[in-house]
Amino acid sequence: MKLLVIGSGGREHALVWKLAQSPHATQMWCAPGNAGIARERLARNALPVECVDIAAENLPQLLAFARENKIDLTVVGPDNPLALGIVDLFQRNGLRIWGPGQKAAQFESSKVFSQWFMERYGIPTARAGTFSEPAPAKAFAASLDGKCVVKADGLALGKGVLICGNIAEAEKAVDEIMVGKAFGAAGASVVIQEFLEGIEVSLHALCDGKTAKLFPTSQDHKRALDGDQGLNTGGMGTYSPAPFLNDAELKKVGDAILNPWLRGCAAEKIDFRGILYPGVMLTKNGPRVLEFNARFGDPETQVYLTRLENDLVELLDASVNGMLGRIELKWNPMASVCVVMASGGYPGNYAKGKPIYGLDETSRLSHVKVFHAGTALKDGHVVTNGGRVLGVTALGKDLKSAQAAAYAAVQKIQFEGAQYRRDIAAKAF
Ligand code: AMP
């Protein structure tokens, strides 16, 4: 099978790495990819994965490339092309592609849509209101004493969510998003949710339009600094499994979310084929969905795919064909920990082009995989090329050993200004 993966981050490197292990993969491209992806080879024939210089949002060029190269299956990593309707476009042109169509991708591209859907179909979520005018939005925030989270409706690079502790902060947040248009058109409407306390976990379910297969638990670390201090980031590290739910509890939480979600999708004629990734707060009153994403998490993918034992080509194929019902997901019982190494200054301004040392040494470690996120090749050497640079991922017999192995590998890698959290997975202990 000829495969095309779209995207350039750590998630896409993990997808490429796992897909490349499948005997079904005969040739693979990644658009635009990164330096780590370009080093992967297919297990079946040792052919290298080729990176093609087409941006993930350049739908016409991606379509032309897929047609020209007779791609059998395109795999979409990031949310943007999904929200832009890449799946619908490819399907109209007779090409097979994995990911939700534009209507189904609304679970991520519109927080107003998601909130309405959750309330309509009884999915446990935060008490919330949706607003297209600032005055009623502020009145609702005041009814919560200002202890709320104000969310821009549309995609805002993960930044359109403002956490408020009092009425003044909430009013400022509403003004920033709705009047000041801090996130542009994404802020024409907002969702305001009550602020929830608890433990946050990431759930993932692979869906085929009728069935949703739940993954094990994982936990992300969104803040830049140890102890959940500092600014919000795309994610500084993950681990799986997270110990806050045992198997029976996970099944219960999954059912409470996915059963009404599947019923709602059927009622609304939403044909969701892809990953549904609910962000969930485990509160003392039970689980509450904070938001839905419509793709693999980054860096959740890195810990999930190092534990997944199934052939990923077969899984994604079954997801596209509506045949997941017959498949059982198999997980390595070992634990996985991913530590993100970022450029100095991230998530603010940072420099690019810093040479990275130690990658060859870490590639010889067993049970360790260094996924590239923001990297590029310059004169044959791997250099930094983004905020999140590497996702150093290790398996261990338990979380403690996986954590130790991941940090031992991190110690072997150097680039100027490298920053990373020292406490990934610490919450589990
Ligand atoms: P979202 O993009 O909606 O997941 O929000 C980003 C982050 O904001 C989440 O990962 C949570 O840490 C936090 N957050 C979102 N909604 C709430 C809420 N209702 N209560 C507390 N924290 C929240």
Side-chain angles (χ1 to χ4, degrees), residues 24-341:
H24 300 291
T26 53
Q27 220 176 338
M28 200 185 310
W29 292 267
C30 186
N34 62 38
I37 290 172
R39 288 182 166 189
E40 295 296 338
R41 287 177 179 271
L42 304 187
R44 169 151 168 180
N45 53 19
L47 271 184
V49 175
E50 260 179 76
C51 291
V52 270
D53 192 16
I54 307 175
E57 289 82 16
N58 190 341
L59 272 44
Q61 268 199 45
L62 291 169
L63 176 67
F65 182 87
R67 277 175 143 171
E68 230 162 80
N69 292 282
K70 302 199 168 47
I71 300 294
D72 298 300
L73 181 65
T74 298
V75 174
V76 188
D79 50 353
N80 260 345
L82 295 172
L84 291 169
I86 192 170
V87 171
D88 314 66
L89 175 71
F90 272 48
Q91 284 173 346
R92 276 199 304 276
N93 286 276
L95 288 166
R96 293 181 76 241
I97 180 165
W98 177 79
Q102 199 166 27
K103 183 175 174 191
Q106 279 184 98
F107 281 108
E108 176 155 8
S109 63
S110 169
K111 290 192 189 279
V112 168
F113 168 82
S114 268
Q115 195 67 38
W116 166 84
F117 187 97
M118 288 195 279
E119 285 167 18
R120 177 156 188 163
Y121 294 101
I123 297 170
T125 179
R127 192 149 74 85
T130 58
F131 306 94
S132 50
E133 294 294 335
K138 288 179 186 174
F140 182 74
S143 77
L144 298 169
D145 266 345
K147 291 183 185 51
C148 65
V149 183
V150 184
K151 305 184 178 190
D153 175 44
L155 292 179
L157 297 170
K159 291 183 185 145
V161 172
L162 303 177
I163 295 176
C164 311
N166 55 49
I167 292 176
E169 280 176 20
E171 292 192 341
K172 186 164 162 261
V174 169
D175 281 336
E176 257 176 65
I177 296 178
M178 302 191 84
V179 185
K181 300 261 182 276
F183 309 107
S189 308
V190 294
V191 173
I192 301 185
Q193 291 181 337
E194 65 177 323
F195 179 81
L196 291 173
E197 280 177 80
I199 295 170
E200 207 176 330
V201 292
S202 301
L203 299 184
H204 278 55
L206 181 61
C207 308
D208 70 352
K210 309 181 281 285
T211 319
K213 295 272 181 184
L214 191 62
F215 286 17
T217 46
S218 68
Q219 192 177 45
D220 192 5
H221 298 67
K222 285 279 175 205
R223 302 293 198 97
L225 306 175
D226 285 8
D228 290 337
Q229 303 295 307
L231 294 172
N232 245 334
T233 70
M236 294 299 289
T238 41
Y239 65 96
S240 173
F244 312 108
L245 295 170
N246 62 31
D247 288 353
E249 289 163 340
L250 173 62
K251 176 161 188 332
K252 211 169 133 198
V253 170
D255 285 348
I257 296 167
L258 295 174
N259 291 348
W261 179 79
L262 284 168
R263 267 199 307 280
C265 284
E268 302 291 329
K269 300 203 166 22
I270 294 172
D271 186 6
F272 193 105
R273 299 176 194 227
I275 288 279
L276 183 76
Y277 153 21
V280 177
M281 190 72 87
L282 303 173
T283 75
K284 63 179 185 333
N285 300 317
R288 299 282 183 271
V289 176
L290 304 179
E291 60 150 2
F292 284 119
N293 302 290
R295 36 91 197 161
F296 270 108
D298 187 349
E300 283 87 344
T301 312
Q302 290 83 322
V303 290
Y304 280 136
L305 295 188
T306 46
R307 293 189 61 208
L308 182 71
E309 291 182 339
N310 302 69
D311 180 318
L312 187 60
V313 174
E314 288 176 11
L315 284 188
L316 301 189
D317 209 46
S319 165
V320 172
N321 289 344
M323 305 292 255
L324 270 181
R326 299 186 188 170
I327 293 183
E328 191 195 339
L329 298 187
K330 295 199 187 77
W331 300 96
N332 188 329
M334 291 172 95
S336 185
V337 171
C338 170
V339 178
V340 169
M341 297 183 77

